[in-house]
Amino acid sequence: MRYDQHIGNCLAVEIGRGGIAPEDYARALGETRPALERLAAWRDAGSHPFLLYPGKRDDLAALEGTARELRERFQRIAVIGIGGASLGGQAATALGADAPLIYLDNPDGARLDAVLADAAATGYLVISKSGATAETLAQTLLALSRAAAENFLFVTAPGDNPLRRLASEYGVRVIDHDPELGGRFSVFSAVGMLPAMLAGLDAAGFRDGAREALAATLDAAEPIDAPAAVGAALTLALAPRLSAAVFMPYDDRLLAFAHWQRQLWAESLGKDGKGATPLVARGAIDQHSQLQLYLDGPTDKLFTLFTAGGAPDGPAIAPEMAAKAGADYLAGRSLGDLMRAEAAATRDAIREVGRPLREIAIAHLDETALGALMMHFMLETVIIALALDIDPFDQPAVERGKQLARDYLRREGS
């Protein structure tokens, strides 16, 4: 596997009564079995395309050609999209340190104006499955009024929608968004892979990792051998007392991944009065803002702590400089050493007070490892949903909010 999942600090035998009792863990693992069988049947039947994209390769050459052309023509690319149309790409491209990408997600006039001030040097990648997302459409209309239409590329579903109409009117190129693929499950399609290629990353590597994680879970003989089922069982066992799931990356390359995972969890599981609230805590910053609550507040949380290798540690602090500060513990240490110590300290502090904490350790964070991690959490989320009799693929409350926003704009404009 491209990552190791350690669950010992979630179990009562390790951390005491705050952990999961053996009988509850066994029951929860058993509850994942029907979901695993259903997922395997979907894959084998060729349904639910998020299970199929890891094995696809026939679209990558064309996407790479498009990415190469855009990189050659423009100094930077502004990606206009929100939610699943943006978060997956942001998570993937966080691996590209010098990625020439700007994400225009939340509507912000000052930020859009700053991008449009250099419109000729900027390409615009607009992503919206429906083609009607208000935030995306508004920014696209403003950008199209000030930048050449030939600088734009749309990714949207086939059929009649506002983006398709704009494309026809202005002669903008369009790539089809798979109409059967929900936004938060779309990262391995053009939605996430085209931004990854624009950042100079290996899209095939992402899919290779996803394919490995898919096989590791769906081809396992028993749920206890299926990593995503094991992860799901933690949530299922804790469900009666779980109100929050905290994702804690101790590597900034995984911060955007944690925000992608937050949406995946919230929109898939928050239904019918069910679903714990997903929170993102950035290590080490949030040791200084949230850890007090985690250690001494309500015992209603499951923590997942992420660590990753593969990034330079940076220079070491000279012993004489540490001595002048009276900080001998920093002598000869790098910032990488400090982050590893911080992660271990957080893990141990949470363990000491008996709060359940899972660790996911990635020895070398690259495209393949991140692809595996993303597929793991898509599967884990769907397994939890199916075990709780929740539809993981819809978001009725979100759609209601979108309709209300459009209604407000119509009334205010009349």
Side-chain angles (χ1 to χ4, degrees):
M1 287 294 293
R2 304 287 171 163
Y3 58 90
D4 293 313
Q5 177 177 231
H6 305 287
I7 69 164
N9 288 332
C10 290
L11 306 178
V13 294
E14 295 289 337
I15 64 170
R17 64 179 185 175
I20 301 168
E23 61 273 20
D24 291 333
Y25 181 55
R27 170 190 54 77
L29 273 175
E31 291 173 356
T32 71
R33 188 184 298 276
L36 288 170
E37 292 172 351
R38 196 167 171 188
L39 278 161
W42 287 346
R43 179 195 59 181
D44 296 343
S47 65
H48 292 78
F50 84 97
L51 299 171
L52 307 178
Y53 270 90
K56 281 177 63 70
R57 293 295 180 272
D58 58 357
D59 59 334
L60 293 183
L63 288 175
E64 180 56 47
T66 299
R68 187 184 312 111
E69 177 206 341
L70 293 174
R71 289 197 307 265
E72 290 171 352
R73 289 179 57 201
F74 302 108
Q75 294 177 17
R76 61 183 181 176
I77 308 294
V79 182
I80 302 178
I82 199 166
S86 176
L87 290 170
Q90 291 187 52
T93 57
L95 295 184
D98 299 319
L101 298 173
I102 302 165
Y103 285 92
L104 298 174
D105 41 18
N106 213 39
D108 183 308
R111 190 162 55 133
L112 180 61
D113 280 345
V115 172
L116 290 171
D118 193 15
T122 305
Y124 299 86
L125 174 60
V126 181
I127 304 174
S128 170
K129 177 183 175 181
S130 70
T133 306
E135 300 87 348
T136 301
L137 190 58
Q139 295 193 86
T140 301
L141 290 169
L142 289 168
L144 262 174
S145 71
R146 291 171 58 181
E150 63 186 19
N151 290 14
F152 287 77
L153 173 65
F154 294 170
V155 177
T156 189
D160 180 43
N161 68 48
L163 278 185
R164 289 276 177 177
R165 290 176 217 137
L166 287 174
S168 178
E169 177 71 22
Y170 288 93
V172 175
R173 290 183 299 162
V174 179
I175 292 175
D176 286 344
H177 188 302
D178 190 324
E180 301 300 319
L181 193 60
R184 61 187 179 274
F185 292 93
S186 66
V187 66
F188 298 115
S189 73
V191 171
M193 294 300 94
L194 183 53
M197 290 174 169
L198 289 167
L201 298 170
D202 177 14
F206 280 105
R207 289 184 179 177
D208 285 343
R211 191 176 70 250
E212 290 176 12
L214 192 64
T217 285
L218 298 191
D219 295 339
E222 296 292 333
I224 199 169
D225 300 318
V230 169
L234 302 178
T235 294
L236 295 171
L238 291 166
R241 57 185 167 104
L242 188 65
S243 69
V246 181
F247 305 106
M248 306 179 68
Y250 273 81
D251 189 307
D252 277 357
R253 296 171 297 169
L254 287 171
L255 184 60
F257 161 81
H259 286 106
W260 168 83
Q261 161 61 10
R262 181 177 65 181
Q263 185 212 10
L264 177 68
W265 181 287
E267 285 199 345
S268 300
L269 300 179
K271 295 160 194 171
D272 303 327
K274 301 172 184 175
T277 300
L279 304 172
V280 174
R282 182 184 180 188
I285 287 174
D286 286 323
Q287 287 176 232
H288 300 269
S289 64
Q290 297 180 31
L291 195 57
Q292 171 64 39
L293 172 68
Y294 296 160
L295 295 177
D296 206 23
T299 58
D300 60 348
K301 300 172 186 66
L302 169 63
F303 302 92
T304 301
L305 189 151
F306 299 88
T307 58
D313 277 354
I317 297 168
E320 59 271 23
M321 294 293 291
K324 289 176 182 178
D328 61 298
Y329 61 91
L330 291 176
R333 298 298 189 179
S334 68
L335 294 183
D337 293 327
L338 177 59
M339 283 292 279
R340 284 188 288 274
E342 298 272 22
T346 296
R347 176 200 63 209
D348 292 349
I350 291 175
R351 173 190 168 92
E352 285 175 3
V353 295
R355 312 290 168 95
L357 179 141
R358 159 177 61 170
E359 294 177 78
I360 292 184
I362 306 136
H364 182 77
L365 182 58
D366 59 9
E367 294 94 329
T368 308
L370 185 54
L373 202 60
M374 286 177 145
M375 179 52 71
H376 171 108
F377 277 97
M378 283 195 273
L379 292 171
E380 181 176 310
T381 302
V382 173
I383 291 167
I384 295 168
L386 295 178
L388 295 176
D389 196 26
I390 294 170
D391 182 347
F393 303 114
D394 68 353
Q395 54 278 335
V398 175
E399 297 307 321
R400 178 59 178 154
K402 292 178 182 178
Q403 180 60 53
L404 287 170
R406 290 192 290 267
D407 291 344
Y408 278 120
L409 289 168
R410 290 189 181 101
R411 284 199 298 272
E412 291 177 4
S414 61

